[in-house]
Amino acid sequence: LKLKTLSPTPMPTSHFPGRLAAGLLLAAALAAQPWPAASPESQGFDPARLEAARRQLAGRGTRNLLVIRNGRIVCEWYAADAGPAKPHYTASLAKAIVGGMSLLVAANDGRIGFDDPAAKYIPAWRSDPRKSRITIRHLATHSSGMEDAEENGIPHHELPGWKGAFWRRDPDPFSIAIHQAPLVFEPGARYAYSNPAMAALAYAVTASLKGAPQSDIRSLLKQRIMDPLGVPEAEWSIGYGRAYEVDGLLLYANWGGGSYTARAIARVGELMLHRGRAAFRALLRPGMVERVLAYAGTPRPERRERAPSPGSGLGWWVNDDGVLSKVPRDAFAGAGAGNQVLLVAPSLNLIVVRQGGALARKGEPEGFWAAIEKHLFNPLMEALVDKEKGGFQPPYPPSPVIARAVWAPAGSIVRAAQDSDNWPMTWGDDGAQYTAYGDGTGFVPKVEKKLGLGFAKVLGPPESFQGVNIRSPAAENTGAGAHGEKASGMLMVEGVLYMWVRNAGNARLRWSADRAKTWQATPWKFETSFGHPAFLNFGRNYSGARDNYVYVVSHDHDSAYQAADRFVMARAPKDRLRERAAYEFFEGLAGGAARWTSDIARRGAVFTFPGGAYRSQISYNAGLKRYLWCQILPGPDPRFEGGFGIYDAPEPWGPWTTVFFTNRWDTGPGENCGLPAKWMSADGRTAWLVFSGDDSFSARKVTFEVGDTK
């Protein structure tokens, strides 16, 4: 893949061609991994209420139900003859996941504007004084004035005239929609649901793709959305299984006729939840996604007692005014006949997919949205008893020393080295801070090609630091993501720079005697646990260390990409770090003292956090006499959104308490973060967090409000 294939117009400067191409391939591999399962209660659901909701839905024609919160499946149920790999028809849910998504990609690439006249793309309308006033926004929000092709209560095959021809698709529905569907009111005057308007939208979007690498909606969705999301072709189809060639365009129905598995739909919902980001890469511009999911400003559907219809985004339904009273106002949805539903609630980090037959039984008075609200949305919202729960609760009680962590405004964050991540740091003997980055090109002036592992030093104070790349040809690599070794921990001891390298099955130690220019590696590596080892950092050149040992922490997993239930710790004398036999492993406490073992199989938990143990950095705050452990919470892509915690203790093995904890920070915390000792004040009350948020070297000031420091 090349950038011009993926995005014909310039993307943000952080997305360079090689990085984006490799990143999308990596994103596909990672996105294709199934969501992990979690107990309902761990994600804030009452298990009994959730099960009652599932049973109720099963009794009302539901065939597939998928509920995902915080990237974890809390409920996945299928009828006996269905299953996770069996597609189900979408009906008009396709208006969002086909029509809305194809419009979004075309707009993202600058090929079509939401307020463009549709006639710009539909030549037949240019001479029509009324239809020439229809905009793309009108088509995408059912406010174009085009008459619908449906008549309530009349089967499609019995519809007369052009309406029957539209649904029979003879000769083709697009020509019928463009040339025969009349306007029943002036464009933009009111809301009226219209399938022909969506057909016209499909025509306009396809026309906008002329000259693009993907010149039809299906190939556009495949190459730009579904393949990067890792969704196999067997799990989705569009357009009633066929295309129509009209006016030299290959057209697919976007108003219905799709067939998707529940998981395929959920992948699309997850992409939109994360504002166009999947796994580790941006597929769409966040601002463009937000425009599509915002209330479009066009007339709303008529609100009646049994028709709590949400407003229109562009191809999506939005709850911006809270008409669905128990659903958050930031929620958006796609929906189709038979109550095929995708609901996404960003503030709850929640995705729901429901497929099957109509929820309302024969003779029941509920309208379309009323049935969805009553039988699907409300029971699930009532089962979600902890709506503030963002996936995890703090694993330890509040700190008795640090009462509060106060962050400088997000706008004050200092960022550099855009397009590079990781950033473990240590304070060198020469006063510089040494670090390493992954999957990027480092600081300006950037290196000539993306490196899977590169090196740098950071000079000066946090407000005005200077980053300098260090070239080490023998140690650099170009492996992307999990395919290349990455630094997880950095430490300088007596002028020698040490680095833990992850993705090395599991981790290997390297050292450099010339400040990162050349490196040597141990012949051994950790092959059990220690998938993301990090050093405990003290002061300059390891000054101020508590003893003659060097301490290493990691989540208890072989992979840096999977969360664990606990963290483990190892140590070795600082003059024997290169000897495997010198390492001991924390086994537990005996009378308050740490107990160590040379047998890695007997390692114990130094920090317990079920499902939440992931990547971390730890350093000593000499001013407060506390060890500060920064831990990223596992999530889809924490560089752009997610949470983390900071914990403190008087000893490296605890007892740990919580300084700061959030499931969703006001900016992405990155997939690694730490508090460098050099950037801590003498009294320990101010520090700077270095993190890989926004896929860059990011630094943010934090002030610790302190109580008792004894």
Side-chain angles (χ1 to χ4, degrees):
L1 299 176
K2 295 182 179 179
L3 182 62
K4 65 185 180 69
T5 302
L6 294 167
S7 181
T9 60
M11 291 286 282
T13 56
S14 61
H15 303 284
F16 296 99
R19 182 171 176 78
L20 181 59
L24 286 174
L25 295 176
L26 173 62
L30 294 175
Q33 297 179 5
W35 293 277
S39 64
E41 56 268 32
S42 73
Q43 304 306 310
F45 281 93
D46 180 298
R49 292 185 187 181
L50 183 60
E51 173 58 17
R54 185 203 65 78
R55 288 198 305 268
Q56 174 182 311
L57 288 164
R60 287 183 171 273
T62 300
R63 300 185 56 75
N64 307 326
L65 179 65
L66 179 59
V67 181
I68 299 170
R69 191 168 193 221
N70 306 308
R72 295 165 179 81
I73 294 175
V74 296
C75 178
E76 185 171 28
W77 175 85
Y78 299 95
D81 58 345
K86 187 174 182 179
H88 187 281
Y89 74 87
T90 64
S92 288
L93 174 55
K95 289 180 172 67
I97 62 177
V98 178
M101 293 305 294
S102 57
L103 172 61
L104 172 57
V105 178
N108 180 85
D109 295 349
R111 294 189 172 276
I112 195 168
F114 300 137
D115 294 306
D116 287 349
K120 177 179 177 180
Y121 310 97
I122 305 174
W125 287 4
R126 293 171 189 170
S127 59
D128 187 315
R130 298 181 72 204
K131 287 186 176 179
S132 62
R133 294 197 290 271
I134 297 174
T135 66
I136 298 299
R137 185 181 300 272
H138 292 146
L139 295 176
T141 59
H142 303 287
S143 60
S144 67
M146 294 181 68
E147 187 176 7
D148 193 17
E150 292 214 59
E151 294 286 350
N152 290 334
I154 302 177
H156 286 165
H157 67 276
E158 295 181 6
L159 286 169
W162 73 269
K163 294 184 178 182
F166 178 89
W167 287 109
R168 289 192 304 270
R169 300 185 287 283
D170 55 73
D172 73 75
F174 298 96
S175 294
I176 295 169
I178 297 298
H179 298 290
Q180 297 185 42
L183 259 62
V184 292
F185 57 82
E186 288 300 309
R190 60 185 178 88
Y191 170 94
Y193 195 85
S194 176
N195 287 288
M198 291 300 295
L201 179 66
Y203 185 111
V205 170
T206 305
S208 78
L209 300 176
K210 284 185 178 180
Q214 300 91 29
S215 59
D216 63 82
I217 285 176
R218 186 188 182 281
S219 61
L220 182 75
L221 293 177
K222 180 180 186 302
Q223 296 296 324
R224 298 291 298 283
I225 301 296
M226 306 308 281
D227 283 356
L229 293 181
V231 180
E233 284 193 79
E235 292 192 14
W236 70 284
S237 65
I238 69 170
Y240 299 96
R242 62 158 296 178
Y244 296 85
E245 188 169 349
V246 181
D247 300 332
L249 303 175
L250 193 64
L251 302 176
Y252 288 89
N254 65 349
W255 62 90
S259 187
Y260 282 59
T261 64
R263 291 185 180 184
I265 293 170
R267 289 293 181 195
V268 177
E270 186 176 55
L271 176 68
M272 299 299 279
L273 168 68
H274 296 300
R275 296 304 190 258
R277 299 188 183 278
F280 294 102
R281 295 295 176 264
L283 304 185
L284 299 162
R285 286 183 281 164
M288 192 62 69
V289 175
E290 290 166 2
R291 289 181 65 188
V292 166
L293 296 179
Y295 168 53
T298 52
R300 297 181 185 274
E302 182 181 353
R303 302 279 174 75
R304 299 186 302 276
E305 181 181 356
R306 290 190 291 272
S309 302
S312 291
L314 294 168
W316 296 84
W317 302 106
V318 296
N319 193 41
D320 66 296
D321 65 344
V323 65
L324 301 168
S325 61
K326 294 187 178 181
V327 176
R329 290 195 174 199
D330 65 348
F332 56 92
N339 300 134
Q340 322 308 319
V341 178
L342 164 64
L343 171 70
V344 181
S347 59
L348 298 177
N349 209 357
L350 178 69
I351 301 169
V352 177
V353 178
R354 186 269 179 190
Q355 297 170 302
L359 286 165
R361 297 189 178 117
K362 187 175 181 179
E364 290 182 336
E366 291 97 351
F368 179 81
W369 281 107
I372 292 173
E373 181 182 40
K374 180 178 180 179
H375 302 298
L376 178 64
F377 290 170
N378 288 356
L380 289 177
M381 292 300 108
E382 291 163 1
L384 188 55
V385 292
D386 185 358
K387 293 181 172 61
E388 300 302 319
K389 197 177 185 84
F392 295 100
Q393 293 295 306
Y396 290 95
S399 169
V401 174
I402 304 175
R404 186 175 173 222
V406 180
W407 298 97
S412 69
I413 296 172
V414 183
R415 300 193 193 271
Q418 188 72 39
D419 194 44
S420 305
D421 54 31
N422 291 335
W423 307 114
M425 294 185 69
T426 192
W427 193 353
D429 60 347
D430 57 356
Q433 296 186 90
Y434 289 88
T435 186
Y437 60 87
D439 293 340
T441 49
F443 293 100
V444 175
K446 293 178 173 290
V447 301
E448 67 280 359
K449 63 180 178 180
K450 182 188 76 171
L451 298 176
L453 173 59
F455 306 96
K457 62 181 177 180
V458 178
L459 309 173
E463 300 92 337
S464 56
F465 63 81
Q466 178 188 6
V468 180
N469 297 322
I470 301 172
R471 302 311 302 269
S472 179
E476 295 170 356
N477 71 61
T478 56
H483 300 290
E485 293 185 349
K486 306 283 189 292
S488 59
M490 298 286 285
L491 181 71
M492 182 169 278
V493 181
E494 297 181 350
V496 178
L497 192 60
Y498 290 90
M499 172 176 62
W500 281 112
V501 178
R502 61 176 171 90
N503 301 356
N506 300 353
R508 185 189 300 276
L509 185 68
R510 292 186 183 182
W511 73 92
S512 171
D514 56 7
R515 296 180 175 84
K517 294 178 183 177
T518 60
W519 294 84
Q520 299 181 66
T522 59
W524 57 271
K525 55 187 176 183
F526 283 133
E527 296 178 331
T528 301
S529 185
F530 290 88
H532 189 275
F535 291 108
L536 196 167
N537 265 271
F538 286 90
R540 179 172 177 169
N541 198 29
Y542 209 57
S543 63
R546 58 172 290 111
D547 50 36
N548 287 320
Y549 284 94
V550 166
Y551 294 82
V552 181
V553 294
S554 175
H555 70 311
D556 191 19
H557 202 287
D558 294 344
S559 170
Y561 298 89
Q562 298 293 322
D565 295 331
R566 64 181 190 170
F567 287 90
V568 293
M569 178 176 283
R571 72 175 187 177
K574 65 182 182 181
D575 57 351
R576 297 181 62 196
L577 279 177
R578 305 167 201 174
E579 302 174 32
R580 173 62 180 84
Y583 282 80
E584 300 174 312
F585 303 91
F586 178 81
E587 188 175 5
L589 295 173
R595 186 173 66 249
W596 301 89
T597 176
S598 60
D599 183 0
I600 193 171
R602 293 173 59 188
R603 68 195 183 279
V606 72
F607 189 109
T608 301
F609 193 177
Y614 195 48
R615 303 180 187 181
S616 72
Q617 299 290 319
I618 186 170
S619 53
Y620 183 64
N621 185 315
L624 299 182
K625 299 181 176 60
R626 304 290 284 184
Y627 294 88
L628 298 180
W629 198 344
C630 300
Q631 301 178 10
I632 294 293
L633 293 177
D637 192 352
R639 287 173 305 168
F640 303 103
E641 62 178 324
F644 72 107
I646 300 176
Y647 311 93
D648 70 330
E651 300 287 351
W653 39 86
W656 293 100
T657 52
T658 302
V659 172
F660 174 81
F661 186 89
T662 180
N663 279 282
R664 181 165 289 190
W665 207 23
D666 57 359
T667 189
E671 70 282 85
N672 198 13
C673 68
L675 293 161
K678 181 177 180 179
W679 286 350
M680 294 179 184
S681 63
D683 64 3
R685 299 187 182 216
T686 61
W688 285 72
L689 186 80
V690 170
F691 58 105
S692 60
D694 198 35
D695 201 19
S696 61
F697 182 98
S698 302
R700 186 176 190 179
K701 186 177 181 179
V702 59
T703 301
F704 298 124
E705 295 183 354
V706 177
D708 184 7
T709 60
K710 295 181 181 179

